[in-house]
Amino acid sequence: MADIIKLLPDHVANQIAAGEVVQRPASVVKELLENAIDARSNTIKLIIKDGGKSLIQVVDDGIGMSTTDARLSFERHATSKIQKAEDLFNLHTKGFRGEALASIAAIAHVEMHTRTEGEEVGTQLRIEGSEVVSQEVCVTPKGTSLSVKNLFFNIPARRNFLKSNQVELRHITDEFHRVALAHPGITFHFYNNGSELFNLPKSNYRQRIVHIFGTRTNAKLVPVGEETHVVKIQGFIHKPEFAKRSRGEQFFFVNHRFIKSPYLHHAVVSAFEGLIKTDTYPGYFLYLEVDPSSIDINIHPTKTEVKFDDEHTLYAILRSTIKHSLGQFNIVPTLDFERNQNLDTPYAYKDQEAKQPQVTVDAQFNPFLETSGKSPSAAQGYTAARKTGQWESLYVGMDQPLGDDTGFSSVHLESDGITGSIFEDQLDVGHSVATTFQLRRKYIVTSIKSGMVVIDQNRAHQRVLYEKLLKNTTVKQSVSQQLLFPLTLSFTKSDRAILEEIRTDLIHIGFIFETLDKESLKITGVPYLIPENEVGTVLDQLISDYRHEIAGEGFSQADILSKTLSKSLAVKTGEVLDCSSQLALVNDLFACKESRVSPFNKPIYVTLTEQDIEKKFI
Ligand code: ADP
Ligand code: MG
């Protein structure tokens, strides 16, 4: 057989490499910004058009390149940053692989202007799909300007795969934040479609964070600092009360490089244990400095993952440093072994005034009646009655796992799947002897003619709210409650941009607001379903869901909005519902168009027929 193996031509090899390095416009932004930083620039300008699809330009005032270097920089494996493999473990630059420019030039139209300090004239180079189109002498300021146009012009599949300009801009902004946060000593400007998005003067870490995330961030920050022979830690954490239900402002930098590390994230979260709710995340900006020889950055082409020599020690140091900061800044009561901690005021009550306890007596209460006598529909909001009343006391202790001897935990719900319409069965709830009860503060159990049904209260309420909200947005007939005192909420610029995008839907659903300035909104009305003290959290959740959901697209804005709100507002597992609320929820659920699955496609209830039960007794 004839030989069939051939070396790939350079431009093909470069295109293949580009597949790894350049996923979307934001990857180009990252590479170009990092090159500008490595060139020791003081000021860096980022210019974007159409989400980076038509133009990404980075202009720096760094060391520039000679004509020969300018030509060489586009060759694969051409780098000025390392010379031998050992250098990989003594890195002081962002780049080292020497493949970014070669990859970018393989899949776009690139134009470079560059000049070094010592030269009077510079070099202009144009390269399209790895082909040098022109090279000329030019007049240009010291430093380098690199523009990338028509990204993926020769790979239509990749180009079509790009998301909307807004989504691509969001990715670019995230990347810009990461680089700018890591280098507060450099001035950054960011323009999008001709208007300035960020103007970040040279500053320190704290000011840089505040410039990016808004003036109100300042009050949220608690400084963190520690220096050991393994690592130097600096930075800030958010005070626990600002923990969000969504991920977002969590940043680790190792030797001035943004990295992702679920392991170190865990260290931070565990330091916050007991201070924040379980489903919330603390914000942090942590700058670690370690000996370059103790880490390996070359484990991922985009260099966002790092392998540490001694992860466990790092984990322990990080955790205790953060605990220390939380304690030092009086965020948690200081440890005092003499004192009985049970007598401490819980954190949530710290600033509250003492009030005389009040005893209320339900004059209507009759222990011999099974329901409280209120009409079910009266309990619209399914208000959680946080007391152990009536029959509920019978189930005290049910929260502990039931021992096997009861045989209960081994009950297998045979009709676990979703059964057909429950209406054929007719709920028993209309009868005067209607009974519902709450099991483990999670399920509502009620009887139907053929047996019983066990309903997940959280999912059921999500479904009810979802259908209501969706109707409001589509019929555009929202019910909003005017706030007596308007709320002023502040957001980061990118969050504000998202709120702008969904503005019409927010209004349809019942929000009334006006724009105050670049950072804040004044909210004068909210949908009647949202309690006033939840508005901030609900909007945060919404922004984050929208940011993630849109990546999957295929959902309408109204749908995302309704899903998010239903998730935020639904009664949670663990909340006690009184009888009338349970009944109202059951009735509302079965009045829904689709009562079987939650808005997130999870089953809402299971039925257990009399036969199922009888089988258990054989
Ligand atoms: P790497 O950054 O891994 O070295 P790149 O392909 O990104 O690889 O860049 C190749 C080389 O081009 C760099 O090593 C550097 O010498 C030079 N270079 C790239 N961008 C700039 C810039 N903005 N200013 C000065 N030199 C640059
Ligand atoms: Mg580089």
Short mmCIF file of all heavy atoms in Angstrom, two decimals, residues 31-32 35-36 38-39 60 63-65 73 78-81 95-102 112 144 146 303, ligand 1:
data_model
loop_
_atom_site.label_atom_id
_atom_site.label_comp_id
_atom_site.label_asym_id
_atom_site.label_seq_id
_atom_site.Cartn_x
_atom_site.Cartn_y
_atom_site.Cartn_z
N GLU A 31 -7.42 36.66 24.76
CA GLU A 31 -6.05 36.50 24.26
C GLU A 31 -5.41 37.85 23.96
O GLU A 31 -4.25 38.08 24.30
CB GLU A 31 -6.03 35.62 23.00
CG GLU A 31 -6.44 34.16 23.24
CD GLU A 31 -5.50 33.40 24.18
OE1 GLU A 31 -4.33 33.82 24.30
OE2 GLU A 31 -5.94 32.41 24.79
N LEU A 32 -6.17 38.75 23.32
CA LEU A 32 -5.58 40.04 22.96
C LEU A 32 -5.30 40.89 24.19
O LEU A 32 -4.26 41.56 24.28
CB LEU A 32 -6.49 40.81 21.98
CG LEU A 32 -6.76 40.13 20.63
CD1 LEU A 32 -7.50 41.09 19.69
CD2 LEU A 32 -5.47 39.67 19.97
N ASN A 35 -2.19 39.56 25.82
CA ASN A 35 -0.96 39.94 25.10
C ASN A 35 -0.59 41.37 25.43
O ASN A 35 0.58 41.70 25.60
CB ASN A 35 -1.16 39.80 23.59
CG ASN A 35 -0.97 38.35 23.14
OD1 ASN A 35 -0.48 37.53 23.90
ND2 ASN A 35 -1.37 38.07 21.90
N ALA A 36 -1.61 42.25 25.51
CA ALA A 36 -1.34 43.65 25.81
C ALA A 36 -0.75 43.79 27.22
O ALA A 36 0.14 44.61 27.45
CB ALA A 36 -2.62 44.47 25.68
N ASP A 38 0.97 41.42 28.83
CA ASP A 38 2.34 40.89 28.77
C ASP A 38 3.30 41.90 28.15
O ASP A 38 4.51 41.86 28.41
CB ASP A 38 2.37 39.58 27.97
CG ASP A 38 1.77 38.41 28.77
OD1 ASP A 38 1.63 38.55 29.99
OD2 ASP A 38 1.46 37.37 28.15
N ALA A 39 2.78 42.79 27.30
CA ALA A 39 3.64 43.79 26.66
C ALA A 39 3.86 45.00 27.57
O ALA A 39 4.32 46.04 27.12
CB ALA A 39 3.03 44.23 25.32
N ASP A 60 -2.96 48.97 22.60
CA ASP A 60 -2.18 49.13 23.83
C ASP A 60 -1.01 50.09 23.63
O ASP A 60 -0.68 50.47 22.51
CB ASP A 60 -1.70 47.76 24.34
CG ASP A 60 -0.65 47.11 23.46
OD1 ASP A 60 0.34 47.77 23.10
OD2 ASP A 60 -0.81 45.90 23.12
N ILE A 63 5.20 47.51 24.71
CA ILE A 63 6.54 47.55 24.11
C ILE A 63 6.54 47.44 22.58
O ILE A 63 7.54 47.75 21.94
CB ILE A 63 7.45 46.44 24.68
CG1 ILE A 63 6.80 45.06 24.51
CG2 ILE A 63 7.77 46.69 26.16
CD1 ILE A 63 7.72 43.90 24.84
N GLY A 64 5.44 47.02 21.98
CA GLY A 64 5.38 46.92 20.52
C GLY A 64 6.28 45.82 19.97
O GLY A 64 6.89 45.05 20.74
N MET A 65 6.33 45.73 18.64
CA MET A 65 7.16 44.68 18.02
C MET A 65 7.96 45.24 16.86
O MET A 65 7.49 46.15 16.15
CB MET A 65 6.25 43.55 17.49
CG MET A 65 5.78 42.57 18.54
SD MET A 65 4.64 41.37 17.86
CE MET A 65 3.09 42.19 18.15
N SER A 73 5.14 36.74 14.94
CA SER A 73 4.14 36.55 16.01
C SER A 73 2.94 35.73 15.52
O SER A 73 2.23 35.13 16.32
CB SER A 73 3.68 37.89 16.56
OG SER A 73 2.94 38.59 15.60
N ALA A 78 5.22 30.42 18.02
CA ALA A 78 6.17 31.54 18.05
C ALA A 78 5.85 32.38 19.27
O ALA A 78 4.76 32.92 19.38
CB ALA A 78 6.04 32.38 16.79
N THR A 79 6.79 32.43 20.21
CA THR A 79 6.55 33.19 21.42
C THR A 79 7.85 33.80 21.93
O THR A 79 8.93 33.23 21.74
CB THR A 79 5.91 32.31 22.52
OG1 THR A 79 5.73 33.11 23.68
CG2 THR A 79 6.78 31.11 22.89
N SER A 80 7.73 34.94 22.56
CA SER A 80 8.91 35.56 23.18
C SER A 80 8.94 35.24 24.66
O SER A 80 9.81 35.69 25.38
CB SER A 80 8.83 37.07 22.98
OG SER A 80 7.61 37.54 23.53
N LYS A 81 7.94 34.44 25.13
CA LYS A 81 7.75 34.35 26.58
C LYS A 81 8.44 33.16 27.24
O LYS A 81 8.79 33.23 28.40
CB LYS A 81 6.26 34.37 26.88
CG LYS A 81 5.67 35.71 26.39
CD LYS A 81 4.18 35.81 26.40
CE LYS A 81 3.76 37.05 25.62
NZ LYS A 81 2.33 37.14 25.42
N GLY A 95 0.67 34.68 28.58
CA GLY A 95 0.79 33.76 27.45
C GLY A 95 2.06 32.96 27.55
O GLY A 95 2.95 33.27 28.35
N PHE A 96 2.13 31.86 26.81
CA PHE A 96 3.37 31.09 26.72
C PHE A 96 3.27 30.05 25.62
O PHE A 96 4.25 29.48 25.20
CB PHE A 96 3.71 30.41 28.05
CG PHE A 96 2.60 29.55 28.61
CD1 PHE A 96 2.44 28.25 28.19
CD2 PHE A 96 1.72 30.08 29.56
CE1 PHE A 96 1.42 27.46 28.71
CE2 PHE A 96 0.71 29.30 30.07
CZ PHE A 96 0.54 27.98 29.66
N ARG A 97 2.06 29.83 25.09
CA ARG A 97 1.90 28.75 24.13
C ARG A 97 2.23 29.18 22.70
O ARG A 97 2.39 28.35 21.82
CB ARG A 97 0.48 28.19 24.19
CG ARG A 97 0.17 27.58 25.55
CD ARG A 97 -1.30 27.33 25.73
NE ARG A 97 -1.78 26.25 24.90
CZ ARG A 97 -2.09 25.03 25.35
NH1 ARG A 97 -1.96 24.76 26.62
NH2 ARG A 97 -2.52 24.12 24.55
N GLY A 98 2.21 30.50 22.48
CA GLY A 98 2.55 31.00 21.16
C GLY A 98 1.61 30.56 20.08
O GLY A 98 1.98 30.41 18.92
N GLU A 99 0.35 30.36 20.43
CA GLU A 99 -0.57 29.92 19.37
C GLU A 99 -1.77 30.83 19.19
O GLU A 99 -2.54 30.65 18.25
CB GLU A 99 -1.01 28.48 19.58
CG GLU A 99 -1.56 28.19 20.94
CD GLU A 99 -1.91 26.72 21.13
OE1 GLU A 99 -1.51 25.90 20.30
OE2 GLU A 99 -2.59 26.43 22.12
N ALA A 100 -1.95 31.83 20.06
CA ALA A 100 -3.16 32.65 19.97
C ALA A 100 -3.22 33.42 18.65
O ALA A 100 -4.19 33.29 17.90
CB ALA A 100 -3.24 33.60 21.15
N LEU A 101 -2.17 34.19 18.37
CA LEU A 101 -2.24 35.01 17.15
C LEU A 101 -2.34 34.14 15.90
O LEU A 101 -3.10 34.44 14.98
CB LEU A 101 -1.04 35.95 17.07
CG LEU A 101 -1.02 37.08 18.11
CD1 LEU A 101 0.08 38.07 17.80
CD2 LEU A 101 -2.36 37.82 18.15
N ALA A 102 -1.58 33.03 15.86
CA ALA A 102 -1.65 32.14 14.69
C ALA A 102 -3.06 31.59 14.52
O ALA A 102 -3.59 31.54 13.40
CB ALA A 102 -0.66 31.00 14.87
N MET A 112 -2.75 44.49 11.99
CA MET A 112 -1.93 44.88 13.12
C MET A 112 -1.12 46.12 12.79
O MET A 112 -0.58 46.26 11.68
CB MET A 112 -0.98 43.74 13.48
CG MET A 112 -0.02 44.06 14.62
SD MET A 112 1.35 42.92 14.66
CE MET A 112 0.72 41.74 15.83
N THR A 144 0.87 48.51 20.29
CA THR A 144 0.29 47.64 19.28
C THR A 144 -1.21 47.84 19.22
O THR A 144 -1.87 48.00 20.24
CB THR A 144 0.56 46.16 19.64
OG1 THR A 144 1.96 46.00 19.83
CG2 THR A 144 0.08 45.21 18.56
N LEU A 146 -4.40 45.80 17.44
CA LEU A 146 -4.72 44.62 16.68
C LEU A 146 -6.22 44.56 16.47
O LEU A 146 -6.99 44.60 17.44
CB LEU A 146 -4.26 43.39 17.47
CG LEU A 146 -3.80 42.27 16.56
CD1 LEU A 146 -2.44 41.80 16.97
CD2 LEU A 146 -4.78 41.14 16.60
N LYS A 303 -6.35 28.02 29.73
CA LYS A 303 -5.60 28.36 30.95
C LYS A 303 -6.49 28.87 32.08
O LYS A 303 -6.09 29.74 32.84
CB LYS A 303 -4.52 29.40 30.64
CG LYS A 303 -3.62 29.03 29.50
CD LYS A 303 -2.65 30.17 29.22
CE LYS A 303 -2.25 30.24 27.78
NZ LYS A 303 -2.45 31.55 27.20
P1 ADP B 1 1.96 33.97 23.46
O1 ADP B 1 1.22 35.10 24.07
O2 ADP B 1 1.56 32.66 24.04
O3 ADP B 1 3.42 34.17 23.43
P2 ADP B 1 0.67 34.85 21.05
O4 ADP B 1 0.34 34.15 19.79
O5 ADP B 1 -0.46 35.42 21.81
O6 ADP B 1 1.49 33.85 21.95
O7 ADP B 1 1.71 35.99 20.73
C1 ADP B 1 2.92 35.68 20.09
C2 ADP B 1 3.99 36.71 20.40
O8 ADP B 1 3.65 37.96 19.80
C3 ADP B 1 4.14 37.02 21.85
O9 ADP B 1 5.00 36.12 22.49
C4 ADP B 1 4.68 38.44 21.84
O10 ADP B 1 6.07 38.44 21.72
C5 ADP B 1 4.10 39.03 20.59
N1 ADP B 1 2.93 39.89 20.87
C6 ADP B 1 1.63 39.55 20.75
N2 ADP B 1 0.82 40.58 21.08
C7 ADP B 1 1.63 41.60 21.42
C8 ADP B 1 1.41 42.95 21.85
N3 ADP B 1 0.17 43.44 22.03
N4 ADP B 1 2.50 43.73 22.09
C9 ADP B 1 3.75 43.25 21.93
N5 ADP B 1 4.02 42.00 21.54
C10 ADP B 1 3.00 41.17 21.26
#
